[in-house]
Amino acid sequence: MANDTEDIDGNNILAQSLKSQGVEFVFGIVGIPVIELSVAMQQAGLKYVGMRNEQAAIYAAQAIGYLTRTPGVCLVVSGPGLLNVVAGMANSQINCWPVLVIGGSCAEDHEGIGGFQECNQVELSRPYCKYSARPPNANLIPVHVEKAIRYVTYGRPGAAYLDFPANLLSARVSIDMVQYKPVICSPPTVFPDIRDIQSAADLIKNANRPLIIVGKGAAYNRAEDAVNNFVAQTGLPFLATPMGKGVVADEHPLCAASARTFVLQNADVIVLLGARLNWILHFGKSPRFNPQVKFIQVDIKPEELHNSQQASVAIQADIHTAVDALTLQLNKQKWRCSKNEWLTQIQDKCSVNKKYTESMMMDTSVPLNYFTVFRQIQDNIPKDCIICSEGANTMDIGRTILLNNLPRHRLDAGTFGTMGVGLGFSIAAALWCQQYEPQKRVLCVEGDSAFGFSGMEVETMVRYKLPIVIVVVNNNGIYGGVDEELWTAIQDSDSLSNTTPPNCLSVNIHYEKIMEMFGRKGYFCTTVDQVSSAIKNAFKDTNGPSFINIMINPSADRKPQNFAWLTESKL
């Protein structure tokens, strides 16, 4: 008798496995051997977004993972395609965002003899992943997909890589032989040890100058309700790390962001909620921190506890369970922060620093400075928009003025300090808005150097009709550039490689004209009135991306800092 059992190829097994595990979005660039796979993905109901650069694709995939807690998939071709996403895999792993990279690879019978784009992709990916593997046959593809997604979502999230040789994708097997796996359960909730909660409560009660630091981990953990209740019940002042912004509103009266240096130097007990004592927090060391400060550290990953500084209380737990337990413990003891002198000092310091910043904002002379530009942006954007930002001073100064009052509404260079992420992150954020909150908008604020990393992703935004507002804060350089007079003198030189400053970019470039290639209009701004008008008009346009190019003083800088950046490495 003839065998009537239906068969299926590796492309469709993989696509269906991803769909059954809850994956929604795939970002990538197609080519040999994954063209048929991309079609199978769409047929399975996955949303495929074609990008212009593999790095931008993986940045988008990891951002959608952060926003949804379901890993985005990045689809790439073999060899150079995979190598182009290694930086993004590292960024995802260090940022602790879930992403799965699917890489096509050289057919197995061509390995070792110079096959097309032959590359040892599994081993090359392993240092930047929680899991890196090649399924041994088509039957086992679902097993490895389930394992990869489980690895990147359980515990501290990260990246995974699965390798698919051309012959594995085209292989046909009986459907009855395929080992399909059920959808993974939600990651288990880790509850704190009650003894640690009691110790933490005692430490907070006895503190003279307590402080909360809210990190990106609290945002990813969806702990905003618990953290807001903790702040409300205890009256403790707080700081947020860059992507911890919005877990508690920046405009909350207990936000100490405008007195950051003061509170870090003077706090005697600090509660770390999903925040790491890495370079962003100056390793928790003097002189940026009080040398006698005591840390209460809450983190999902036990290996992170006590890093950089020995914690007085180290709590391995989900942020929301630990914070709920700590709030309950302090409420039982009817404790609320009554350190009026400490709170008054913070308020006074915030007031002084805000006055300085406001004086910078009031300077409308041309060329503009960063503070004036960001004030105009802040005054004219929807208060609930998602802000993506990158660039040196653009990102650093922008985060102090562009406020976030909702969690997971700020995406920037992150823990790895990666430039080039902005447009990919913005595409992911806009797709998230389309799917879950259609009235919400995305603002992408770039330095001119940062925009250059992935500028052609503007075409991706146009193709998918994503109404992202791109703002380039243009100072003609990296950190800072030169003015037109000096630029002319440089260009007249006989040896440009010797006379052009390494941080210098071409001056007064009309980046906004990229929109004309797509039949759209960009904005070129040099005055506050032009900036204000352009922002208002851009947010009215919902048919695709808008582009605003704002010229500022090439020598514009942030306000003077008490300490150099990365203080610890400069002592």
Side-chain angles (χ1 to χ4, degrees), residues 115-136:
F116 176 66
Q117 295 184 335
E118 181 182 350
C119 184
N120 192 0
Q121 296 175 188
V122 174
E123 291 305 314
L124 283 168
S125 301
R126 200 178 304 280
Y128 310 104
C129 291
K130 295 181 73 176
Y131 181 68
S132 181
R134 172 188 289 182

PDB file of all heavy atoms in Angstrom, residues 115-136:
ATOM      1  N   GLY A 115      32.153  26.147   1.366  1.00  0.00           N
ATOM      2  CA  GLY A 115      30.778  26.422   0.988  1.00  0.00           C
ATOM      3  C   GLY A 115      30.471  27.913   1.013  1.00  0.00           C
ATOM      4  O   GLY A 115      31.174  28.713   1.637  1.00  0.00           O
ATOM      5  N   PHE A 116      29.380  28.275   0.335  1.00  0.00           N
ATOM      6  CA  PHE A 116      28.972  29.679   0.252  1.00  0.00           C
ATOM      7  C   PHE A 116      28.709  30.235   1.643  1.00  0.00           C
ATOM      8  O   PHE A 116      27.901  29.713   2.392  1.00  0.00           O
ATOM      9  CB  PHE A 116      27.723  29.800  -0.619  1.00  0.00           C
ATOM     10  CG  PHE A 116      27.154  31.189  -0.692  1.00  0.00           C
ATOM     11  CD1 PHE A 116      27.863  32.219  -1.292  1.00  0.00           C
ATOM     12  CD2 PHE A 116      25.909  31.477  -0.152  1.00  0.00           C
ATOM     13  CE1 PHE A 116      27.342  33.506  -1.360  1.00  0.00           C
ATOM     14  CE2 PHE A 116      25.372  32.751  -0.217  1.00  0.00           C
ATOM     15  CZ  PHE A 116      26.094  33.778  -0.816  1.00  0.00           C
ATOM     16  N   GLN A 117      29.421  31.309   2.003  1.00  0.00           N
ATOM     17  CA  GLN A 117      29.277  31.982   3.300  1.00  0.00           C
ATOM     18  C   GLN A 117      29.422  31.009   4.466  1.00  0.00           C
ATOM     19  O   GLN A 117      28.777  31.154   5.505  1.00  0.00           O
ATOM     20  CB  GLN A 117      27.940  32.733   3.378  1.00  0.00           C
ATOM     21  CG  GLN A 117      27.856  33.886   2.380  1.00  0.00           C
ATOM     22  CD  GLN A 117      26.587  34.700   2.502  1.00  0.00           C
ATOM     23  OE1 GLN A 117      25.561  34.210   2.969  1.00  0.00           O
ATOM     24  NE2 GLN A 117      26.626  35.951   2.060  1.00  0.00           N
ATOM     25  N   GLU A 118      30.299  30.032   4.293  1.00  0.00           N
ATOM     26  CA  GLU A 118      30.519  29.056   5.364  1.00  0.00           C
ATOM     27  C   GLU A 118      31.104  29.751   6.591  1.00  0.00           C
ATOM     28  O   GLU A 118      32.046  30.533   6.491  1.00  0.00           O
ATOM     29  CB  GLU A 118      31.475  27.957   4.884  1.00  0.00           C
ATOM     30  CG  GLU A 118      31.733  26.891   5.926  1.00  0.00           C
ATOM     31  CD  GLU A 118      32.709  25.832   5.450  1.00  0.00           C
ATOM     32  OE1 GLU A 118      33.049  25.820   4.245  1.00  0.00           O
ATOM     33  OE2 GLU A 118      33.143  25.012   6.286  1.00  0.00           O
ATOM     34  N   CYS A 119      30.531  29.467   7.756  1.00  0.00           N
ATOM     35  CA  CYS A 119      30.918  30.169   8.972  1.00  0.00           C
ATOM     36  C   CYS A 119      30.496  29.318  10.172  1.00  0.00           C
ATOM     37  O   CYS A 119      29.410  28.725  10.169  1.00  0.00           O
ATOM     38  CB  CYS A 119      30.232  31.538   9.004  1.00  0.00           C
ATOM     39  SG  CYS A 119      30.674  32.604  10.364  1.00  0.00           S
ATOM     40  N   ASN A 120      31.345  29.252  11.182  1.00  0.00           N
ATOM     41  CA  ASN A 120      31.034  28.469  12.374  1.00  0.00           C
ATOM     42  C   ASN A 120      30.094  29.269  13.277  1.00  0.00           C
ATOM     43  O   ASN A 120      30.480  29.771  14.327  1.00  0.00           O
ATOM     44  CB  ASN A 120      32.332  28.113  13.110  1.00  0.00           C
ATOM     45  CG  ASN A 120      32.114  27.068  14.181  1.00  0.00           C
ATOM     46  OD1 ASN A 120      30.999  26.593  14.383  1.00  0.00           O
ATOM     47  ND2 ASN A 120      33.168  26.707  14.878  1.00  0.00           N
ATOM     48  N   GLN A 121      28.833  29.342  12.868  1.00  0.00           N
ATOM     49  CA  GLN A 121      27.914  30.316  13.447  1.00  0.00           C
ATOM     50  C   GLN A 121      27.473  29.967  14.862  1.00  0.00           C
ATOM     51  O   GLN A 121      27.287  30.865  15.696  1.00  0.00           O
ATOM     52  CB  GLN A 121      26.715  30.488  12.511  1.00  0.00           C
ATOM     53  CG  GLN A 121      27.133  31.067  11.164  1.00  0.00           C
ATOM     54  CD  GLN A 121      26.032  31.153  10.125  1.00  0.00           C
ATOM     55  OE1 GLN A 121      26.313  31.457   8.981  1.00  0.00           O
ATOM     56  NE2 GLN A 121      24.797  30.897  10.488  1.00  0.00           N
ATOM     57  N   VAL A 122      27.297  28.695  15.163  1.00  0.00           N
ATOM     58  CA  VAL A 122      26.849  28.305  16.505  1.00  0.00           C
ATOM     59  C   VAL A 122      27.882  28.709  17.545  1.00  0.00           C
ATOM     60  O   VAL A 122      27.560  29.304  18.579  1.00  0.00           O
ATOM     61  CB  VAL A 122      26.552  26.799  16.568  1.00  0.00           C
ATOM     62  CG1 VAL A 122      26.229  26.380  18.001  1.00  0.00           C
ATOM     63  CG2 VAL A 122      25.399  26.441  15.644  1.00  0.00           C
ATOM     64  N   GLU A 123      29.162  28.416  17.265  1.00  0.00           N
ATOM     65  CA  GLU A 123      30.213  28.742  18.231  1.00  0.00           C
ATOM     66  C   GLU A 123      30.481  30.242  18.293  1.00  0.00           C
ATOM     67  O   GLU A 123      30.760  30.787  19.363  1.00  0.00           O
ATOM     68  CB  GLU A 123      31.500  27.993  17.875  1.00  0.00           C
ATOM     69  CG  GLU A 123      31.409  26.496  18.087  1.00  0.00           C
ATOM     70  CD  GLU A 123      30.984  26.143  19.511  1.00  0.00           C
ATOM     71  OE1 GLU A 123      31.533  26.733  20.464  1.00  0.00           O
ATOM     72  OE2 GLU A 123      30.088  25.294  19.666  1.00  0.00           O
ATOM     73  N   LEU A 124      30.371  30.925  17.162  1.00  0.00           N
ATOM     74  CA  LEU A 124      30.568  32.375  17.173  1.00  0.00           C
ATOM     75  C   LEU A 124      29.497  33.086  17.991  1.00  0.00           C
ATOM     76  O   LEU A 124      29.751  34.116  18.615  1.00  0.00           O
ATOM     77  CB  LEU A 124      30.561  32.912  15.736  1.00  0.00           C
ATOM     78  CG  LEU A 124      31.845  32.681  14.935  1.00  0.00           C
ATOM     79  CD1 LEU A 124      31.607  32.991  13.464  1.00  0.00           C
ATOM     80  CD2 LEU A 124      32.976  33.535  15.473  1.00  0.00           C
ATOM     81  N   SER A 125      28.300  32.535  18.002  1.00  0.00           N
ATOM     82  CA  SER A 125      27.191  33.169  18.728  1.00  0.00           C
ATOM     83  C   SER A 125      27.210  32.841  20.216  1.00  0.00           C
ATOM     84  O   SER A 125      26.684  33.614  21.024  1.00  0.00           O
ATOM     85  CB  SER A 125      25.852  32.704  18.141  1.00  0.00           C
ATOM     86  OG  SER A 125      25.751  33.037  16.776  1.00  0.00           O
ATOM     87  N   ARG A 126      27.800  31.732  20.583  1.00  0.00           N
ATOM     88  CA  ARG A 126      27.675  31.237  21.959  1.00  0.00           C
ATOM     89  C   ARG A 126      28.072  32.246  23.042  1.00  0.00           C
ATOM     90  O   ARG A 126      27.388  32.349  24.071  1.00  0.00           O
ATOM     91  CB  ARG A 126      28.486  29.943  22.119  1.00  0.00           C
ATOM     92  CG  ARG A 126      28.041  29.106  23.313  1.00  0.00           C
ATOM     93  CD  ARG A 126      28.823  27.804  23.415  1.00  0.00           C
ATOM     94  NE  ARG A 126      28.754  26.998  22.216  1.00  0.00           N
ATOM     95  CZ  ARG A 126      27.732  26.207  21.887  1.00  0.00           C
ATOM     96  NH1 ARG A 126      26.680  26.165  22.676  1.00  0.00           N
ATOM     97  NH2 ARG A 126      27.751  25.491  20.784  1.00  0.00           N
ATOM     98  N   PRO A 127      29.163  33.030  22.877  1.00  0.00           N
ATOM     99  CA  PRO A 127      29.521  33.966  23.954  1.00  0.00           C
ATOM    100  C   PRO A 127      28.489  35.065  24.195  1.00  0.00           C
ATOM    101  O   PRO A 127      28.528  35.717  25.238  1.00  0.00           O
ATOM    102  CB  PRO A 127      30.842  34.578  23.454  1.00  0.00           C
ATOM    103  CG  PRO A 127      31.383  33.617  22.462  1.00  0.00           C
ATOM    104  CD  PRO A 127      30.174  33.027  21.804  1.00  0.00           C
ATOM    105  N   TYR A 128      27.597  35.273  23.244  1.00  0.00           N
ATOM    106  CA  TYR A 128      26.648  36.382  23.341  1.00  0.00           C
ATOM    107  C   TYR A 128      25.217  35.893  23.556  1.00  0.00           C
ATOM    108  O   TYR A 128      24.269  36.655  23.367  1.00  0.00           O
ATOM    109  CB  TYR A 128      26.731  37.239  22.072  1.00  0.00           C
ATOM    110  CG  TYR A 128      28.148  37.604  21.737  1.00  0.00           C
ATOM    111  CD1 TYR A 128      28.829  36.961  20.710  1.00  0.00           C
ATOM    112  CD2 TYR A 128      28.831  38.552  22.496  1.00  0.00           C
ATOM    113  CE1 TYR A 128      30.154  37.270  20.429  1.00  0.00           C
ATOM    114  CE2 TYR A 128      30.148  38.862  22.224  1.00  0.00           C
ATOM    115  CZ  TYR A 128      30.807  38.220  21.194  1.00  0.00           C
ATOM    116  OH  TYR A 128      32.123  38.514  20.920  1.00  0.00           O
ATOM    117  N   CYS A 129      25.066  34.637  23.951  1.00  0.00           N
ATOM    118  CA  CYS A 129      23.739  34.024  24.060  1.00  0.00           C
ATOM    119  C   CYS A 129      23.603  33.218  25.346  1.00  0.00           C
ATOM    120  O   CYS A 129      24.585  32.764  25.921  1.00  0.00           O
ATOM    121  CB  CYS A 129      23.495  33.070  22.891  1.00  0.00           C
ATOM    122  SG  CYS A 129      23.306  33.841  21.293  1.00  0.00           S
ATOM    123  N   LYS A 130      22.361  33.007  25.730  1.00  0.00           N
ATOM    124  CA  LYS A 130      22.063  32.053  26.781  1.00  0.00           C
ATOM    125  C   LYS A 130      21.962  30.640  26.213  1.00  0.00           C
ATOM    126  O   LYS A 130      22.131  29.659  26.932  1.00  0.00           O
ATOM    127  CB  LYS A 130      20.743  32.417  27.470  1.00  0.00           C
ATOM    128  CG  LYS A 130      20.759  33.740  28.225  1.00  0.00           C
ATOM    129  CD  LYS A 130      19.436  34.029  28.909  1.00  0.00           C
ATOM    130  CE  LYS A 130      19.215  33.146  30.133  1.00  0.00           C
ATOM    131  NZ  LYS A 130      17.963  33.522  30.844  1.00  0.00           N
ATOM    132  N   TYR A 131      21.687  30.553  24.907  1.00  0.00           N
ATOM    133  CA  TYR A 131      21.543  29.238  24.275  1.00  0.00           C
ATOM    134  C   TYR A 131      21.882  29.382  22.803  1.00  0.00           C
ATOM    135  O   TYR A 131      21.397  30.297  22.136  1.00  0.00           O
ATOM    136  CB  TYR A 131      20.106  28.723  24.436  1.00  0.00           C
ATOM    137  CG  TYR A 131      19.864  27.356  23.847  1.00  0.00           C
ATOM    138  CD1 TYR A 131      20.461  26.226  24.400  1.00  0.00           C
ATOM    139  CD2 TYR A 131      19.026  27.195  22.751  1.00  0.00           C
ATOM    140  CE1 TYR A 131      20.227  24.965  23.870  1.00  0.00           C
ATOM    141  CE2 TYR A 131      18.775  25.940  22.211  1.00  0.00           C
ATOM    142  CZ  TYR A 131      19.374  24.829  22.776  1.00  0.00           C
ATOM    143  OH  TYR A 131      19.154  23.582  22.246  1.00  0.00           O
ATOM    144  N   SER A 132      22.726  28.506  22.288  1.00  0.00           N
ATOM    145  CA  SER A 132      23.121  28.538  20.885  1.00  0.00           C
ATOM    146  C   SER A 132      23.224  27.104  20.386  1.00  0.00           C
ATOM    147  O   SER A 132      23.972  26.300  20.964  1.00  0.00           O
ATOM    148  CB  SER A 132      24.470  29.250  20.725  1.00  0.00           C
ATOM    149  OG  SER A 132      24.867  29.304  19.365  1.00  0.00           O
ATOM    150  N   ALA A 133      22.469  26.753  19.337  1.00  0.00           N
ATOM    151  CA  ALA A 133      22.426  25.350  18.908  1.00  0.00           C
ATOM    152  C   ALA A 133      21.978  25.244  17.460  1.00  0.00           C
ATOM    153  O   ALA A 133      21.411  26.183  16.885  1.00  0.00           O
ATOM    154  CB  ALA A 133      21.488  24.545  19.809  1.00  0.00           C
ATOM    155  N   ARG A 134      22.223  24.061  16.893  1.00  0.00           N
ATOM    156  CA  ARG A 134      21.716  23.694  15.574  1.00  0.00           C
ATOM    157  C   ARG A 134      20.903  22.414  15.735  1.00  0.00           C
ATOM    158  O   ARG A 134      21.431  21.386  16.162  1.00  0.00           O
ATOM    159  CB  ARG A 134      22.854  23.442  14.594  1.00  0.00           C
ATOM    160  CG  ARG A 134      22.387  22.862  13.257  1.00  0.00           C
ATOM    161  CD  ARG A 134      23.538  22.431  12.379  1.00  0.00           C
ATOM    162  NE  ARG A 134      24.266  23.578  11.848  1.00  0.00           N
ATOM    163  CZ  ARG A 134      25.303  23.471  11.010  1.00  0.00           C
ATOM    164  NH1 ARG A 134      25.734  22.272  10.632  1.00  0.00           N
ATOM    165  NH2 ARG A 134      25.911  24.555  10.567  1.00  0.00           N
ATOM    166  N   PRO A 135      19.594  22.429  15.434  1.00  0.00           N
ATOM    167  CA  PRO A 135      18.815  21.192  15.528  1.00  0.00           C
ATOM    168  C   PRO A 135      19.429  20.119  14.642  1.00  0.00           C
ATOM    169  O   PRO A 135      19.796  20.390  13.492  1.00  0.00           O
ATOM    170  CB  PRO A 135      17.425  21.605  15.022  1.00  0.00           C
ATOM    171  CG  PRO A 135      17.370  23.086  15.274  1.00  0.00           C
ATOM    172  CD  PRO A 135      18.758  23.576  15.054  1.00  0.00           C
ATOM    173  N   PRO A 136      19.551  18.880  15.145  1.00  0.00           N
ATOM    174  CA  PRO A 136      20.212  17.833  14.360  1.00  0.00           C
ATOM    175  C   PRO A 136      19.377  17.332  13.189  1.00  0.00           C
ATOM    176  O   PRO A 136      19.910  16.762  12.234  1.00  0.00           O
ATOM    177  CB  PRO A 136      20.448  16.715  15.391  1.00  0.00           C
ATOM    178  CG  PRO A 136      19.410  16.945  16.444  1.00  0.00           C
ATOM    179  CD  PRO A 136      19.198  18.420  16.504  1.00  0.00           C
TER     180      PRO A 136
END
